[in-house]
Amino acid sequence: MPLISIANGAALMALSVIGYVLKDPANSGKTALIPGAFGVLLVLCGVLAQRESLRKHAMHAASAVALLGTVGGLVPIVMSLVNGTFGARPLALALQIGMLLICGEMLALCITSFVQARRQRTQEAAG
């Protein structure tokens, strides 16, 4: 999981760079850097999780970052649907969808990993 966290963090940072480069010249583009901030946090968690003593805490932190990133990608999409402005800013929508997919995938993998680890501990305790 640490390497998956690093890879997903790198993907979010790349998404940010692409979004910033493609931004409208009349816009400051600072919001395009939001996925990158989540990416930096995921990379940091992945690096820390490579140490066995920190793995559990770092991966729980990574799952929290992934949860916040998933919500952070989903809420603006839902709000634009409610407000009737869905698709008005295609680049922003693409960044939000990208962040939603990457963070959602990371969250799903974290949950799966936690469930597997719990089952393994239960089996070891029983046997």
Side-chain angles (χ1 to χ4, degrees):
M1 283 303 296
L3 294 178
I4 292 171
S5 180
I6 292 169
N8 281 319
L12 286 169
M13 289 188 283
L15 183 69
S16 248
V17 169
I18 292 167
Y20 190 78
V21 168
L22 296 177
K23 71 177 174 40
D24 179 9
N27 190 344
S28 71
K30 291 179 184 174
T31 57
L33 301 177
I34 292 171
F38 282 88
V40 168
L41 292 174
L42 283 179
V43 168
L44 178 63
C45 289
V47 168
L48 291 174
Q50 289 181 338
R51 293 184 60 192
E52 186 65 37
S53 62
L54 298 175
R55 180 165 296 149
K56 192 175 191 179
H57 297 297
M59 291 317 301
H60 278 87
S63 66
V65 170
L67 175 62
L68 291 174
T70 302
V71 172
L74 183 62
V75 168
I77 294 169
V78 171
M79 292 305 295
S80 68
L81 285 168
V82 170
N83 295 336
T85 59
F86 184 79
R89 295 178 18 218
L91 179 60
L93 179 63
L95 292 175
Q96 292 159 357
I97 291 171
M99 186 166 154
L100 171 65
L101 293 175
I102 294 168
C103 289
E105 175 256 348
M106 180 67 191
L107 181 60
L109 290 174
C110 284
I111 291 169
T112 302
S113 175
F114 294 153
V115 168
Q116 288 175 351
R118 177 101 175 180
R119 284 184 184 154
Q120 184 178 2
R121 281 195 309 271
T122 303
Q123 289 174 353
E124 288 172 359

